[in-house]
Amino acid sequence: MKEVYDEGQLFNFLLDRVREIVQEPSDTNGKLLAICKLLMNNVPHYDWVGFYFADRSKRELVLGPFVGDPTEHVRIPFGKGICGQTAERKATFIVQDISKETNYLSCSPKVQSEIVVPILKNGEIVGELDIDSHTLSPFKEEDRKFLENVCEIVSKLF
Ligand code: SME
C-alpha cells in the first residue's frame, strides 16, 4: 500500500483504485466486492461496507456484495430503515448516533452510526452504498464527498 499522509490523500488514492477496479475485466459483483474490501480495509471507521440493488418494481432494496457481519436485512422495503429512507429521499443520509434514529433496522449491537449514499442513474435510484461504523459521530463532510464520488463512479456498473 502506498504511503498516505492524511485522510484527503487517502480518499484521493482510494478513488483512483475504485476507478481502476471498475475497469477490470471481472463481473459486476466481483468489482463491487473488491470496492467493499478496499474501503473496509483502508478506512478505520468503516466497519461494515455493502451495496444494495434497487428493485424499483417491487420498491425494495436487495442486498448485494458486502463485507462485515452477516445481516438479516437482505430485502428492505423503500421507506424502512436508513437504507429505505435513502431510497425515497434519493440523497445521502448520515446518522451519527443510531440510538437517536427511530426508523432504523439494526444489524449488530456494535453499530453506532451509519451513512447511506444512493446510486442514481438518470435521476432514478438503482442502488446504494451502505456503511456502518462502531464509532459515534465518525462521518465528516469528506466522507460524504468521497462516498458520493465512489457512487458516481460505480453507477456505470448498474
Ligand atoms: N441499518 C440499515 C439496515 C442495513 S444494515 O446496516 C446492513 C437500515 O437501517 O436501513
Side-chain angles (χ1 to χ4, degrees), residues 10-70:
L10 171 66
F11 285 159
N12 282 335
F13 171 69
L14 295 178
L15 280 176
D16 284 342
R17 275 296 298 136
V18 169
R19 287 188 195 96
E20 285 168 13
I21 290 168
V22 165
Q23 300 299 326
E24 280 167 10
S26 55
D27 61 289
T28 293
N29 280 355
K31 293 178 193 186
L32 294 177
L33 183 60
I35 292 166
C36 291
K37 288 180 180 165
L38 178 77
L39 270 50
M40 179 86 157
N41 293 338
N42 289 286
V43 186
H45 54 289
Y46 295 176
D47 295 301
W48 190 97
V49 180
F51 287 95
Y52 281 90
F53 298 106
D55 181 342
R56 291 207 303 280
S57 63
K58 292 193 179 142
R59 292 184 51 79
E60 271 185 354
L61 296 159
V62 181
L63 183 63
F66 71 95
V67 287
D69 291 342

Side-chain angles (χ1 to χ4, degrees), residues 48 52 71 73 76 80-83 104-105 107 114 130 132:
W48 190 97
Y52 281 90
T71 175
H73 303 298
I76 301 176
K80 282 211 76 178
I82 298 168
C83 292
Y104 172 68
L105 302 169
C107 273
E114 179 161 354
D130 178 16
D132 290 343

Side-chain angles (χ1 to χ4, degrees), residues 145-157:
K145 283 191 202 137
F146 166 59
L147 296 170
E148 287 178 351
N149 275 321
V150 170
C151 286
E152 169 76 32
I153 296 165
V154 301
S155 68
K156 55 180 72 112
L157 298 174

